[in-house]
Amino acid sequence: MPRIGMEPLRRKALIVAAIDAIHDRGMGHVTMGEIARRAGVSAALAHHYFGGKDQLLLATMRHLLAELGDEVQAELAKANSPQERISAVIRGNFSACQFRPAVISAWLAFYVQAQTDPEARRLLRIYTRRLESNLLHALRDLTSRAQAERVAEMAASLIDGLWIRRSLAESGPDAEGAADLVERAINDALKRKDA
Amino acid sequence: MPRIGMEPLRRKALIVAAIDAIHDRGMGHVTMGEIARRAGVSAALAHHYFGGKDQLLLATMRHLLAELGDEVQAELAKANSPQERISAVIRGNFSACQFRPAVISAWLAFYVQAQTDPEARRLLRIYTRRLESNLLHALRDLTSRAQAERVAEMAASLIDGLWIRRSLAESGPDAEGAADLVERAINDALKRKDA
Amino acid sequence: MPRIGMEPLRRKALIVAAIDAIHDRGMGHVTMGEIARRAGVSAALAHHYFGGKDQLLLATMRHLLAELGDEVQAELAKANSPQERISAVIRGNFSACQFRPAVISAWLAFYVQAQTDPEARRLLRIYTRRLESNLLHALRDLTSRAQAERVAEMAASLIDGLWIRRSLAESGPDAEGAADLVERAINDALKRKDA
Amino acid sequence: MPRIGMEPLRRKALIVAAIDAIHDRGMGHVTMGEIARRAGVSAALAHHYFGGKDQLLLATMRHLLAELGDEVQAELAKANSPQERISAVIRGNFSACQFRPAVISAWLAFYVQAQTDPEARRLLRIYTRRLESNLLHALRDLTSRAQAERVAEMAASLIDGLWIRRSLAESGPDAEGAADLVERAINDALKRKDA
DNA sequence: AATGAATGAGTTTTCATTCAT
DNA sequence: GATGAATGAAAACTCATTCAT
């Protein structure tokens, strides 16, 4: 029962299905058929819209990247001080929507993909740079450039590390706890005088 | 020309080949044939030795895990103070052999694997717990139990995060720099009085 | 924006597109989608007009056949002697419109098609017989029936052979040269006394 | 029941099966599965040995080309005069093994293939040049260079044309008749004084 | 012990064709 | 009349795995 104007809806449905499929089956075992089935369409349609498995996966990654960017921006828009901006970046990264198991699985899978696929690597580098740049920006008002860079790198690594550990955790730190942990580490680091 | 006593050598060669293959082709694209070719044996032999692809991959993971454990133990054996023990755990985790791109790729791939494969998950949890336990042990002599736990979690996350970021870096933090970064964060955290 | 009276134009455009598509992609790789795209319509429409891929291809063949017939008839209409009629048949077969690479490719493809498809075979036999009959007719006034038949067969084969070779040629005989070659061969054959 | 040393046998069987399959189904409809089934092996094995459909088809073409070359060489080896050499080239091209319907179909299909596939084109050009060169060589002892070239081109075209017509014929010229027809045309052409 | 031979099961991919609008 | 949407069916291709030697 084809209706017109379905394309964007199907694309979105396929991307959402891809995230879940990656979580459930593992990147190595996702098939177009599986993804399409979850999205309620035929594998042929998924091909038609995305051109192939790899491109569907990259589109999924771009979607995740954009969503994360939006989430951080939304938090930043509400911030009124350097402290609040730091907090906003951190909380954006740990927002409910990002910290879901399926999404974490997908991010991890893309990190793996990026080891071999140049386009995935390029996309992931954008995320990496943006995170560091956001942190650096907020820290610049609080300390020296040299220390700001060190702290930003530490904070970015910590965020990634908490994500990756979360993927294994039965319970582990919830989003709230993770954000607090990062903020505390930043504050501790900023107290250091000699840096 | 089969010779006696070849089995352990073949197994080792296959595991090393698996690590490289995962790095070069990506976990999703490694094949028994590819691994066997790199190891200079037939796919049938790889199968014969390990019983199947999944088991070869798990054996590779166990190998990595054991190697990391040995490396940390070797560092710890040389340590004579709490501070040195902390440093030993960190440096063990960033040792030259562990911080090679191919090895990082493989670890990442196993994190992904662990999302769906219970045995991989079990093995990875062993690593996680061992790391935290090692850190906790060293920190117990320097601070309160509550703070030691918080700092250990932070340090463990930081180590994982630096690994994952390293996998994308063109240059990124070298092993030395990564270790320093973690030690500094631990020291900063320990200075905090209220915790 | 559908307008009335478009059907014949669409049909023609699709047939022309089919010829080009066969040339560019090869008969084995032509798709309805490709042909329709070249003709600027949807695949569904192509289907609607012709009833299916096979029928579009057969229509294309009929078009080529008709065009060749017309061209030979046009030349014949101007001929006033047996010699001129022979020349007319040959020149009709090598007329500019027929000797284009895309058209040659299409003819070749239909020869292949005819090996398995009875309708294509039937159509191609019509061409074959018409060519031989045209030649025979012109030759009957110049020699014995037996020799006329032999020469006609030789000439027809030569025409087909020059076509097929032309399809591979970087330069090869142009239409003019090809026609001269055939005429000369016919004249040489007619000089033979004993036949 | 795998035995060693099967590879060459399988390759040959697959090539023979490919020729028959092309004849029966038409190049556009041959499938690896069909060819493999005729050869009595799995489609996977055909892939394993040839790497893909295109390459199996090219291998088939190379086989046909080599066979034709051998056949002409065998005839040439027995020839002791220019006249006999000409006859040898012609008879080699129409030898029983070459003039079988399935083989003719395959050749035709490769002509079509050559319109789009550079490798097929290259291979076919080799055949084309070899035929012309063989004819030219034999003719050089009988007439001027200029006339030898013209006659060689005519003869080569005639050979190709007789093949292509044969592919449609219910009866048509048998190998013997085709060879005679070409020889006669050559002799007629050589009688011409002014060339 | 080791391997070439062989395949079945499964995946991606392609495409003619159908249908609601 | 014309098309975007959608798919079933079939094809190429991949690969872990088995087996005779």
PDB file of all heavy atoms in Angstrom, chain A residues 81-83 85-86 89 131-145 147-156 186-187 189-190:
ATOM      1  N   SER A  81      27.324  30.371  32.624  1.00  0.00           N
ATOM      2  CA  SER A  81      28.643  30.624  33.200  1.00  0.00           C
ATOM      3  C   SER A  81      29.594  29.550  32.698  1.00  0.00           C
ATOM      4  O   SER A  81      29.146  28.505  32.212  1.00  0.00           O
ATOM      5  CB  SER A  81      28.562  30.556  34.726  1.00  0.00           C
ATOM      6  OG  SER A  81      28.332  29.216  35.130  1.00  0.00           O
ATOM      7  N   PRO A  82      30.905  29.791  32.816  1.00  0.00           N
ATOM      8  CA  PRO A  82      31.866  28.743  32.424  1.00  0.00           C
ATOM      9  C   PRO A  82      31.547  27.415  33.121  1.00  0.00           C
ATOM     10  O   PRO A  82      31.478  26.374  32.462  1.00  0.00           O
ATOM     11  CB  PRO A  82      33.198  29.310  32.891  1.00  0.00           C
ATOM     12  CG  PRO A  82      33.012  30.785  32.824  1.00  0.00           C
ATOM     13  CD  PRO A  82      31.574  31.039  33.171  1.00  0.00           C
ATOM     14  N   GLN A  83      31.334  27.454  34.386  1.00  0.00           N
ATOM     15  CA  GLN A  83      30.990  26.237  35.129  1.00  0.00           C
ATOM     16  C   GLN A  83      29.774  25.540  34.525  1.00  0.00           C
ATOM     17  O   GLN A  83      29.765  24.337  34.318  1.00  0.00           O
ATOM     18  CB  GLN A  83      30.680  26.589  36.598  1.00  0.00           C
ATOM     19  CG  GLN A  83      31.899  26.594  37.512  1.00  0.00           C
ATOM     20  CD  GLN A  83      32.492  25.192  37.692  1.00  0.00           C
ATOM     21  OE1 GLN A  83      31.888  24.195  37.302  1.00  0.00           O
ATOM     22  NE2 GLN A  83      33.698  25.149  38.239  1.00  0.00           N
ATOM     23  N   ARG A  85      28.674  25.837  31.543  1.00  0.00           N
ATOM     24  CA  ARG A  85      28.950  25.336  30.193  1.00  0.00           C
ATOM     25  C   ARG A  85      29.664  23.990  30.239  1.00  0.00           C
ATOM     26  O   ARG A  85      29.351  23.080  29.485  1.00  0.00           O
ATOM     27  CB  ARG A  85      29.776  26.354  29.400  1.00  0.00           C
ATOM     28  CG  ARG A  85      28.907  27.440  28.758  1.00  0.00           C
ATOM     29  CD  ARG A  85      29.608  28.113  27.585  1.00  0.00           C
ATOM     30  NE  ARG A  85      30.775  28.877  28.030  1.00  0.00           N
ATOM     31  CZ  ARG A  85      30.711  30.081  28.561  1.00  0.00           C
ATOM     32  NH1 ARG A  85      29.548  30.671  28.748  1.00  0.00           N
ATOM     33  NH2 ARG A  85      31.811  30.706  28.924  1.00  0.00           N
ATOM     34  N   ILE A  86      30.610  23.873  31.162  1.00  0.00           N
ATOM     35  CA  ILE A  86      31.284  22.578  31.330  1.00  0.00           C
ATOM     36  C   ILE A  86      30.255  21.509  31.673  1.00  0.00           C
ATOM     37  O   ILE A  86      30.205  20.432  31.066  1.00  0.00           O
ATOM     38  CB  ILE A  86      32.348  22.672  32.444  1.00  0.00           C
ATOM     39  CG1 ILE A  86      33.504  23.537  31.966  1.00  0.00           C
ATOM     40  CG2 ILE A  86      32.833  21.281  32.834  1.00  0.00           C
ATOM     41  CD1 ILE A  86      34.518  23.836  33.047  1.00  0.00           C
ATOM     42  N   VAL A  89      28.117  20.512  28.643  1.00  0.00           N
ATOM     43  CA  VAL A  89      28.769  19.603  27.693  1.00  0.00           C
ATOM     44  C   VAL A  89      28.736  18.175  28.235  1.00  0.00           C
ATOM     45  O   VAL A  89      28.391  17.213  27.523  1.00  0.00           O
ATOM     46  CB  VAL A  89      30.225  20.038  27.436  1.00  0.00           C
ATOM     47  CG1 VAL A  89      30.956  18.988  26.597  1.00  0.00           C
ATOM     48  CG2 VAL A  89      30.256  21.394  26.754  1.00  0.00           C
ATOM     49  N   LEU A 131      33.809  17.511  20.799  1.00  0.00           N
ATOM     50  CA  LEU A 131      33.777  17.371  22.259  1.00  0.00           C
ATOM     51  C   LEU A 131      34.932  18.132  22.897  1.00  0.00           C
ATOM     52  O   LEU A 131      34.748  18.925  23.822  1.00  0.00           O
ATOM     53  CB  LEU A 131      33.856  15.878  22.627  1.00  0.00           C
ATOM     54  CG  LEU A 131      34.012  15.549  24.109  1.00  0.00           C
ATOM     55  CD1 LEU A 131      32.917  16.212  24.939  1.00  0.00           C
ATOM     56  CD2 LEU A 131      34.011  14.037  24.328  1.00  0.00           C
ATOM     57  N   GLU A 132      36.119  17.905  22.369  1.00  0.00           N
ATOM     58  CA  GLU A 132      37.280  18.566  22.950  1.00  0.00           C
ATOM     59  C   GLU A 132      37.174  20.084  22.806  1.00  0.00           C
ATOM     60  O   GLU A 132      37.495  20.843  23.734  1.00  0.00           O
ATOM     61  CB  GLU A 132      38.565  18.047  22.295  1.00  0.00           C
ATOM     62  CG  GLU A 132      39.584  17.615  23.340  1.00  0.00           C
ATOM     63  CD  GLU A 132      40.615  16.628  22.774  1.00  0.00           C
ATOM     64  OE1 GLU A 132      40.212  15.678  22.063  1.00  0.00           O
ATOM     65  OE2 GLU A 132      41.808  16.827  23.045  1.00  0.00           O
ATOM     66  N   SER A 133      36.723  20.503  21.658  1.00  0.00           N
ATOM     67  CA  SER A 133      36.592  21.949  21.426  1.00  0.00           C
ATOM     68  C   SER A 133      35.560  22.563  22.365  1.00  0.00           C
ATOM     69  O   SER A 133      35.771  23.657  22.912  1.00  0.00           O
ATOM     70  CB  SER A 133      36.222  22.172  19.955  1.00  0.00           C
ATOM     71  OG  SER A 133      35.386  23.297  19.811  1.00  0.00           O
ATOM     72  N   ASN A 134      34.474  21.886  22.591  1.00  0.00           N
ATOM     73  CA  ASN A 134      33.453  22.392  23.521  1.00  0.00           C
ATOM     74  C   ASN A 134      34.005  22.532  24.933  1.00  0.00           C
ATOM     75  O   ASN A 134      33.780  23.544  25.615  1.00  0.00           O
ATOM     76  CB  ASN A 134      32.242  21.446  23.549  1.00  0.00           C
ATOM     77  CG  ASN A 134      31.298  21.706  22.392  1.00  0.00           C
ATOM     78  OD1 ASN A 134      31.238  22.823  21.862  1.00  0.00           O
ATOM     79  ND2 ASN A 134      30.565  20.678  21.975  1.00  0.00           N
ATOM     80  N   LEU A 135      34.723  21.497  25.353  1.00  0.00           N
ATOM     81  CA  LEU A 135      35.295  21.526  26.702  1.00  0.00           C
ATOM     82  C   LEU A 135      36.331  22.637  26.822  1.00  0.00           C
ATOM     83  O   LEU A 135      36.357  23.411  27.794  1.00  0.00           O
ATOM     84  CB  LEU A 135      35.943  20.176  27.022  1.00  0.00           C
ATOM     85  CG  LEU A 135      34.964  19.022  27.297  1.00  0.00           C
ATOM     86  CD1 LEU A 135      35.695  17.687  27.277  1.00  0.00           C
ATOM     87  CD2 LEU A 135      34.260  19.235  28.632  1.00  0.00           C
ATOM     88  N   LEU A 136      37.178  22.715  25.824  1.00  0.00           N
ATOM     89  CA  LEU A 136      38.252  23.703  25.830  1.00  0.00           C
ATOM     90  C   LEU A 136      37.679  25.115  25.935  1.00  0.00           C
ATOM     91  O   LEU A 136      38.163  25.955  26.705  1.00  0.00           O
ATOM     92  CB  LEU A 136      39.065  23.552  24.537  1.00  0.00           C
ATOM     93  CG  LEU A 136      40.504  24.044  24.549  1.00  0.00           C
ATOM     94  CD1 LEU A 136      41.259  23.430  25.699  1.00  0.00           C
ATOM     95  CD2 LEU A 136      41.172  23.668  23.223  1.00  0.00           C
ATOM     96  N   HIS A 137      36.659  25.352  25.163  1.00  0.00           N
ATOM     97  CA  HIS A 137      36.014  26.653  25.149  1.00  0.00           C
ATOM     98  C   HIS A 137      35.554  27.066  26.539  1.00  0.00           C
ATOM     99  O   HIS A 137      35.797  28.190  26.982  1.00  0.00           O
ATOM    100  CB  HIS A 137      34.798  26.588  24.216  1.00  0.00           C
ATOM    101  CG  HIS A 137      34.715  27.763  23.324  1.00  0.00           C
ATOM    102  ND1 HIS A 137      35.432  27.843  22.148  1.00  0.00           N
ATOM    103  CD2 HIS A 137      34.036  28.926  23.437  1.00  0.00           C
ATOM    104  CE1 HIS A 137      35.177  28.998  21.568  1.00  0.00           C
ATOM    105  NE2 HIS A 137      34.328  29.684  22.337  1.00  0.00           N
ATOM    106  N   ALA A 138      34.894  26.132  27.215  1.00  0.00           N
ATOM    107  CA  ALA A 138      34.377  26.447  28.550  1.00  0.00           C
ATOM    108  C   ALA A 138      35.511  26.605  29.557  1.00  0.00           C
ATOM    109  O   ALA A 138      35.446  27.453  30.466  1.00  0.00           O
ATOM    110  CB  ALA A 138      33.420  25.348  28.990  1.00  0.00           C
ATOM    111  N   LEU A 139      36.572  25.814  29.391  1.00  0.00           N
ATOM    112  CA  LEU A 139      37.680  25.851  30.357  1.00  0.00           C
ATOM    113  C   LEU A 139      38.565  27.078  30.183  1.00  0.00           C
ATOM    114  O   LEU A 139      39.222  27.525  31.129  1.00  0.00           O
ATOM    115  CB  LEU A 139      38.537  24.576  30.201  1.00  0.00           C
ATOM    116  CG  LEU A 139      37.912  23.279  30.722  1.00  0.00           C
ATOM    117  CD1 LEU A 139      38.637  22.067  30.159  1.00  0.00           C
ATOM    118  CD2 LEU A 139      37.946  23.269  32.254  1.00  0.00           C
ATOM    119  N   ARG A 140      38.604  27.635  28.999  1.00  0.00           N
ATOM    120  CA  ARG A 140      39.486  28.767  28.717  1.00  0.00           C
ATOM    121  C   ARG A 140      39.247  29.946  29.648  1.00  0.00           C
ATOM    122  O   ARG A 140      40.173  30.718  29.930  1.00  0.00           O
ATOM    123  CB  ARG A 140      39.320  29.227  27.254  1.00  0.00           C
ATOM    124  CG  ARG A 140      40.172  28.516  26.266  1.00  0.00           C
ATOM    125  CD  ARG A 140      41.653  28.518  26.646  1.00  0.00           C
ATOM    126  NE  ARG A 140      42.302  29.770  26.347  1.00  0.00           N
ATOM    127  CZ  ARG A 140      42.902  30.531  27.252  1.00  0.00           C
ATOM    128  NH1 ARG A 140      42.912  30.177  28.529  1.00  0.00           N
ATOM    129  NH2 ARG A 140      43.491  31.650  26.898  1.00  0.00           N
ATOM    130  N   ASP A 141      38.006  30.069  30.118  1.00  0.00           N
ATOM    131  CA  ASP A 141      37.711  31.207  30.994  1.00  0.00           C
ATOM    132  C   ASP A 141      38.119  30.943  32.443  1.00  0.00           C
ATOM    133  O   ASP A 141      38.020  31.817  33.288  1.00  0.00           O
ATOM    134  CB  ASP A 141      36.202  31.523  30.958  1.00  0.00           C
ATOM    135  CG  ASP A 141      35.779  31.956  29.572  1.00  0.00           C
ATOM    136  OD1 ASP A 141      36.630  32.518  28.841  1.00  0.00           O
ATOM    137  OD2 ASP A 141      34.616  31.713  29.209  1.00  0.00           O
ATOM    138  N   LEU A 142      38.534  29.723  32.707  1.00  0.00           N
ATOM    139  CA  LEU A 142      38.792  29.367  34.101  1.00  0.00           C
ATOM    140  C   LEU A 142      40.262  29.150  34.413  1.00  0.00           C
ATOM    141  O   LEU A 142      40.655  29.130  35.582  1.00  0.00           O
ATOM    142  CB  LEU A 142      38.021  28.087  34.461  1.00  0.00           C
ATOM    143  CG  LEU A 142      36.501  28.189  34.363  1.00  0.00           C
ATOM    144  CD1 LEU A 142      35.871  26.831  34.559  1.00  0.00           C
ATOM    145  CD2 LEU A 142      36.001  29.177  35.423  1.00  0.00           C
ATOM    146  N   THR A 143      41.081  28.969  33.401  1.00  0.00           N
ATOM    147  CA  THR A 143      42.480  28.647  33.686  1.00  0.00           C
ATOM    148  C   THR A 143      43.360  28.981  32.486  1.00  0.00           C
ATOM    149  O   THR A 143      42.884  29.523  31.485  1.00  0.00           O
ATOM    150  CB  THR A 143      42.614  27.143  34.036  1.00  0.00           C
ATOM    151  OG1 THR A 143      43.956  26.872  34.401  1.00  0.00           O
ATOM    152  CG2 THR A 143      42.228  26.281  32.853  1.00  0.00           C
ATOM    153  N   SER A 144      44.628  28.631  32.602  1.00  0.00           N
ATOM    154  CA  SER A 144      45.572  28.912  31.519  1.00  0.00           C
ATOM    155  C   SER A 144      45.278  28.023  30.316  1.00  0.00           C
ATOM    156  O   SER A 144      44.643  26.981  30.450  1.00  0.00           O
ATOM    157  CB  SER A 144      46.994  28.627  32.010  1.00  0.00           C
ATOM    158  OG  SER A 144      47.167  27.226  32.161  1.00  0.00           O
ATOM    159  N   ARG A 145      45.792  28.429  29.178  1.00  0.00           N
ATOM    160  CA  ARG A 145      45.571  27.640  27.968  1.00  0.00           C
ATOM    161  C   ARG A 145      46.158  26.238  28.110  1.00  0.00           C
ATOM    162  O   ARG A 145      45.526  25.241  27.759  1.00  0.00           O
ATOM    163  CB  ARG A 145      46.211  28.351  26.769  1.00  0.00           C
ATOM    164  CG  ARG A 145      46.250  27.470  25.546  1.00  0.00           C
ATOM    165  CD  ARG A 145      46.417  28.223  24.244  1.00  0.00           C
ATOM    166  NE  ARG A 145      46.001  27.335  23.168  1.00  0.00           N
ATOM    167  CZ  ARG A 145      44.782  27.301  22.672  1.00  0.00           C
ATOM    168  NH1 ARG A 145      43.868  28.141  23.139  1.00  0.00           N
ATOM    169  NH2 ARG A 145      44.477  26.443  21.722  1.00  0.00           N
ATOM    170  N   GLN A 147      46.812  24.452  30.790  1.00  0.00           N
ATOM    171  CA  GLN A 147      46.054  23.581  31.676  1.00  0.00           C
ATOM    172  C   GLN A 147      44.686  23.224  31.075  1.00  0.00           C
ATOM    173  O   GLN A 147      44.217  22.101  31.198  1.00  0.00           O
ATOM    174  CB  GLN A 147      45.859  24.215  33.058  1.00  0.00           C
ATOM    175  CG  GLN A 147      45.440  23.151  34.062  1.00  0.00           C
ATOM    176  CD  GLN A 147      45.209  23.687  35.454  1.00  0.00           C
ATOM    177  OE1 GLN A 147      44.759  24.816  35.623  1.00  0.00           O
ATOM    178  NE2 GLN A 147      45.527  22.870  36.444  1.00  0.00           N
ATOM    179  N   ALA A 148      44.083  24.208  30.436  1.00  0.00           N
ATOM    180  CA  ALA A 148      42.784  23.947  29.810  1.00  0.00           C
ATOM    181  C   ALA A 148      42.890  22.777  28.837  1.00  0.00           C
ATOM    182  O   ALA A 148      42.036  21.888  28.802  1.00  0.00           O
ATOM    183  CB  ALA A 148      42.289  25.195  29.091  1.00  0.00           C
ATOM    184  N   GLU A 149      43.951  22.752  28.067  1.00  0.00           N
ATOM    185  CA  GLU A 149      44.116  21.660  27.100  1.00  0.00           C
ATOM    186  C   GLU A 149      44.282  20.318  27.794  1.00  0.00           C
ATOM    187  O   GLU A 149      43.691  19.316  27.378  1.00  0.00           O
ATOM    188  CB  GLU A 149      45.312  21.941  26.187  1.00  0.00           C
ATOM    189  CG  GLU A 149      44.931  22.871  25.039  1.00  0.00           C
ATOM    190  CD  GLU A 149      46.117  23.241  24.167  1.00  0.00           C
ATOM    191  OE1 GLU A 149      47.236  22.738  24.425  1.00  0.00           O
ATOM    192  OE2 GLU A 149      45.941  24.054  23.247  1.00  0.00           O
ATOM    193  N   ARG A 150      45.108  20.321  28.833  1.00  0.00           N
ATOM    194  CA  ARG A 150      45.302  19.062  29.562  1.00  0.00           C
ATOM    195  C   ARG A 150      43.988  18.573  30.167  1.00  0.00           C
ATOM    196  O   ARG A 150      43.650  17.394  30.087  1.00  0.00           O
ATOM    197  CB  ARG A 150      46.336  19.250  30.668  1.00  0.00           C
ATOM    198  CG  ARG A 150      47.758  18.921  30.245  1.00  0.00           C
ATOM    199  CD  ARG A 150      48.640  18.670  31.446  1.00  0.00           C
ATOM    200  NE  ARG A 150      48.646  19.813  32.366  1.00  0.00           N
ATOM    201  CZ  ARG A 150      49.450  20.876  32.235  1.00  0.00           C
ATOM    202  NH1 ARG A 150      50.289  20.954  31.223  1.00  0.00           N
ATOM    203  NH2 ARG A 150      49.400  21.857  33.093  1.00  0.00           N
ATOM    204  N   VAL A 151      43.281  19.483  30.792  1.00  0.00           N
ATOM    205  CA  VAL A 151      42.040  19.089  31.468  1.00  0.00           C
ATOM    206  C   VAL A 151      40.981  18.643  30.443  1.00  0.00           C
ATOM    207  O   VAL A 151      40.246  17.680  30.675  1.00  0.00           O
ATOM    208  CB  VAL A 151      41.512  20.241  32.339  1.00  0.00           C
ATOM    209  CG1 VAL A 151      40.149  19.871  32.931  1.00  0.00           C
ATOM    210  CG2 VAL A 151      42.505  20.550  33.452  1.00  0.00           C
ATOM    211  N   ALA A 152      40.931  19.345  29.343  1.00  0.00           N
ATOM    212  CA  ALA A 152      39.954  18.960  28.320  1.00  0.00           C
ATOM    213  C   ALA A 152      40.223  17.546  27.820  1.00  0.00           C
ATOM    214  O   ALA A 152      39.309  16.733  27.647  1.00  0.00           O
ATOM    215  CB  ALA A 152      39.996  19.953  27.155  1.00  0.00           C
ATOM    216  N   GLU A 153      41.486  17.245  27.593  1.00  0.00           N
ATOM    217  CA  GLU A 153      41.819  15.904  27.111  1.00  0.00           C
ATOM    218  C   GLU A 153      41.434  14.853  28.146  1.00  0.00           C
ATOM    219  O   GLU A 153      40.865  13.806  27.821  1.00  0.00           O
ATOM    220  CB  GLU A 153      43.306  15.792  26.790  1.00  0.00           C
ATOM    221  CG  GLU A 153      43.616  14.471  26.098  1.00  0.00           C
ATOM    222  CD  GLU A 153      45.109  14.181  25.992  1.00  0.00           C
ATOM    223  OE1 GLU A 153      45.918  15.070  26.325  1.00  0.00           O
ATOM    224  OE2 GLU A 153      45.454  13.067  25.587  1.00  0.00           O
ATOM    225  N   MET A 154      41.753  15.175  29.392  1.00  0.00           N
ATOM    226  CA  MET A 154      41.406  14.246  30.470  1.00  0.00           C
ATOM    227  C   MET A 154      39.891  14.041  30.520  1.00  0.00           C
ATOM    228  O   MET A 154      39.406  12.901  30.584  1.00  0.00           O
ATOM    229  CB  MET A 154      41.929  14.803  31.793  1.00  0.00           C
ATOM    230  CG  MET A 154      41.808  13.892  32.982  1.00  0.00           C
ATOM    231  SD  MET A 154      40.206  14.113  33.792  1.00  0.00           S
ATOM    232  CE  MET A 154      40.467  15.723  34.581  1.00  0.00           C
ATOM    233  N   ALA A 155      39.160  15.139  30.487  1.00  0.00           N
ATOM    234  CA  ALA A 155      37.698  15.036  30.606  1.00  0.00           C
ATOM    235  C   ALA A 155      37.095  14.267  29.429  1.00  0.00           C
ATOM    236  O   ALA A 155      36.208  13.419  29.616  1.00  0.00           O
ATOM    237  CB  ALA A 155      37.092  16.442  30.691  1.00  0.00           C
ATOM    238  N   ALA A 156      37.591  14.550  28.236  1.00  0.00           N
ATOM    239  CA  ALA A 156      37.070  13.849  27.059  1.00  0.00           C
ATOM    240  C   ALA A 156      37.334  12.343  27.172  1.00  0.00           C
ATOM    241  O   ALA A 156      36.453  11.515  26.909  1.00  0.00           O
ATOM    242  CB  ALA A 156      37.710  14.404  25.780  1.00  0.00           C
ATOM    243  N   ILE A 186      37.232  17.213  36.878  1.00  0.00           N
ATOM    244  CA  ILE A 186      37.637  18.499  36.303  1.00  0.00           C
ATOM    245  C   ILE A 186      37.944  19.499  37.416  1.00  0.00           C
ATOM    246  O   ILE A 186      38.971  20.202  37.389  1.00  0.00           O
ATOM    247  CB  ILE A 186      36.528  19.047  35.376  1.00  0.00           C
ATOM    248  CG1 ILE A 186      36.437  18.184  34.104  1.00  0.00           C
ATOM    249  CG2 ILE A 186      36.798  20.499  35.013  1.00  0.00           C
ATOM    250  CD1 ILE A 186      35.316  18.562  33.165  1.00  0.00           C
ATOM    251  N   ASN A 187      37.080  19.555  38.395  1.00  0.00           N
ATOM    252  CA  ASN A 187      37.301  20.505  39.484  1.00  0.00           C
ATOM    253  C   ASN A 187      38.584  20.203  40.238  1.00  0.00           C
ATOM    254  O   ASN A 187      39.356  21.112  40.563  1.00  0.00           O
ATOM    255  CB  ASN A 187      36.106  20.498  40.435  1.00  0.00           C
ATOM    256  CG  ASN A 187      34.907  21.165  39.786  1.00  0.00           C
ATOM    257  OD1 ASN A 187      35.072  22.002  38.886  1.00  0.00           O
ATOM    258  ND2 ASN A 187      33.704  20.773  40.192  1.00  0.00           N
ATOM    259  N   ALA A 189      41.193  18.778  39.075  1.00  0.00           N
ATOM    260  CA  ALA A 189      42.332  19.128  38.226  1.00  0.00           C
ATOM    261  C   ALA A 189      42.552  20.635  38.181  1.00  0.00           C
ATOM    262  O   ALA A 189      43.688  21.107  38.124  1.00  0.00           O
ATOM    263  CB  ALA A 189      42.103  18.590  36.812  1.00  0.00           C
ATOM    264  N   LEU A 190      41.456  21.381  38.219  1.00  0.00           N
ATOM    265  CA  LEU A 190      41.589  22.840  38.135  1.00  0.00           C
ATOM    266  C   LEU A 190      42.196  23.428  39.405  1.00  0.00           C
ATOM    267  O   LEU A 190      42.783  24.513  39.374  1.00  0.00           O
ATOM    268  CB  LEU A 190      40.218  23.484  37.873  1.00  0.00           C
ATOM    269  CG  LEU A 190      39.670  23.303  36.459  1.00  0.00           C
ATOM    270  CD1 LEU A 190      38.280  23.910  36.336  1.00  0.00           C
ATOM    271  CD2 LEU A 190      40.602  23.913  35.414  1.00  0.00           C
TER     272      LEU A 190
END
